Amino acid sequence: MSLLEVKNIDVRYGDFLALHDISLNVEEGSIVSLIGANGAGKSTIMNTICGLNKPVKGEILFDGKNISGLKPSRISKYGLSMAPEGSHCFERMTVKDNLLMGAYLAKGSERMERLKSVYKLFPVLEEKQNQMSTYLSGGQRQMLAIGRGIMTQPRILLCDEISLGLAPVVINDIYEKLKEISAQGITLLIVEQDVNRSLKNSDYAYVILEGRVVMEGKSKELNVEDVNDAYFGMNKYAH
Ligand SMILES: Nc1ncnc2c1ncn2[C@@H]1O[C@H](COP(=O)(O)OP(=O)(O)OP(=O)(O)O)[C@@H](O)[C@H]1O
Ligand SMILES: [Mg+2]
C-alpha cells in the first residue's frame, strides 16, 4: 500500500520553476531513495512534502489524505518527520534536550521511553547526552538529526543528504541504523548523491535531473551505468 503519493507537483521559487511535474510513490515499509546532482531539486522535493514549500500544481497524499499546502506542524502530527540536510540541531542545547524537543507533544513517561529507544539505537548519543550539540562530530550530528526525527515516532522519516561530508565507515554505520529503523516499521525516504550507495540501500529509487524525474525503478533492477547517464543528463536524458 502506498503511504506517500506525490502527484504531478510543480514548485516555484519566484520565476524559477524548480520542480516540473514530479510524481513519486512510497510504499509503506519500504526504503525509497532520491538520487541527483547538486541543484537537481532533491531538497525542494523533501521540503515540499513536509510543508516548507507549497506546490503551485499537483497534490501530495499521505495515507490517502491530501496534505499539500498544510503547515509543517500539522503534517508532522500525521506522522511525517524530517531529518534535515546539514543535520540542523539546536546548537546551544544539550544532546538530550535536542532529542526531547523532538517529542515535545508526548507525555513525560512516553518521552523517556522514546529517548531510551533512541539511545539503544545510537549509544554514542547517550554517552554525549549532557554535551552541547555544537560539540558533536559530523557523524554524531547526523545521528542526532535522525534520532530527533524518530522521537516523534513517525510513520515515515525523510532524511536529506545523510552522508554529506562523512567518512565511508560512518556512512555505512548510519545506513545500518536506518535498516534497523526500517525494521521497526518506519518507512524511509532518503536523499543520496552516491549512485551505488543509493541503489544498495533502497528498495526503489528515483533519479532527479533539473527538477524532473528522469528515471525510476526497483533499486536492484536499475542499471548503474544507465542511472549515471540519467544523473548527469547524458544522451536521451538531457532536456
Ligand atoms: N529558497 C530558494 N530560492 C530560490 N531558489 C532556490 C531556493 N532553494 C533552492 N533553489 C534552487 O532550486 C534548485 C533546486 O535546489 P535544491 O536545494 O532542491 O537542490 P538539491 O538537489 O537538494 O541540491 P544539493 O544536492 O546541492 O543539496 C536549485 O537550482 C536551487 O538554486
Ligand atoms: Mg539538497
Side-chain angles (χ1 to χ4, degrees):
M1 201 196 84
S2 191
L3 181 60
L4 177 69
E5 277 177 274
V6 173
K7 290 180 150 177
N8 310 100
I9 61 165
D10 278 6
V11 172
R12 288 187 169 280
Y13 294 116
D15 288 342
F16 176 63
L17 187 58
L19 300 183
H20 307 250
D21 204 34
I22 292 270
S23 293
L24 310 169
N25 186 26
V26 181
E27 294 285 316
E28 179 140 43
S30 67
I31 304 181
V32 173
S33 189
L34 302 182
I35 319 173
N38 291 124
K42 306 176 300 296
S43 296
T44 303
I45 295 175
M46 300 296 248
N47 291 339
T48 307
I49 293 170
C50 69
L52 295 167
N53 297 327
K54 290 197 194 331
V56 290
K57 182 188 118 227
E59 58 181 16
I60 303 172
L61 303 179
F62 182 63
D63 203 15
K65 288 185 284 286
N66 189 352
I67 58 163
S68 30
L70 296 183
K71 282 197 197 134
S73 55
R74 182 86 185 279
I75 293 175
S76 123
K77 278 184 205 147
Y78 282 133
L80 190 146
S81 178
M82 166 129 120
E85 181 175 351
S87 42
H88 291 295
C89 53
F90 300 101
E91 306 273 335
R92 307 221 162 264
M93 273 166 61
T94 62
V95 167
K96 182 178 175 184
D97 287 342
N98 257 290
L99 288 170
L100 289 173
M101 279 284 288
Y104 67 98
L105 289 174
K107 284 197 309 235
S109 56
E110 173 66 28
R111 284 169 99 199
M112 291 330 248
E113 275 309 305
R114 294 188 195 174
L115 187 65
K116 257 198 250 165
S117 71
V118 171
Y119 286 161
K120 200 163 159 226
L121 194 62
F122 298 113
V124 68
L125 296 182
E126 184 166 22
E127 280 165 37
K128 307 265 177 188
Q129 61 177 323
N130 296 318
Q131 262 195 26
M132 289 296 160
S133 310
T134 187
Y135 300 124
L136 293 180
S137 74
Q140 291 162 353
R141 262 164 188 268
Q142 199 57 65
M143 293 175 198
L144 178 59
I146 295 170
R148 203 175 51 189
I150 58 177
M151 282 296 285
T152 62
Q153 288 204 322
R155 294 183 65 192
I156 184 166
L157 177 68
L158 276 52
C159 300
D160 196 355
E161 302 277 351
I162 35 178
S163 49
L164 199 71
L166 303 181
V169 55
V170 179
I171 298 172
N172 288 343
D173 191 29
I174 287 180
Y175 272 107
E176 284 311 309
K177 303 296 182 182
L178 287 178
K179 290 204 172 127
E180 285 180 44
I181 292 170
S182 170
Q184 289 171 14
I186 298 176
T187 304
L188 293 169
L189 178 61
I190 296 171
V191 164
E192 172 61 66
Q193 283 203 27
D194 183 288
V195 171
N196 287 308
R197 198 181 294 130
S198 166
L199 298 181
K200 182 169 159 255
N201 291 293
S202 61
D203 301 307
Y204 201 90
Y206 290 89
V207 184
I208 313 297
L209 173 74
E210 295 167 6
R212 295 176 168 89
V213 173
V214 288
M215 183 181 275
E216 66 176 281
K218 287 188 180 153
S219 306
K220 56 174 188 265
E221 291 173 4
L222 288 172
N223 175 292
V224 178
E225 277 172 25
D226 290 347
V227 172
N228 272 317
D229 281 354
Y231 184 109
F232 292 112
M234 308 288 273
N235 310 327
K236 61 184 181 192
Y237 304 105
H239 47 250

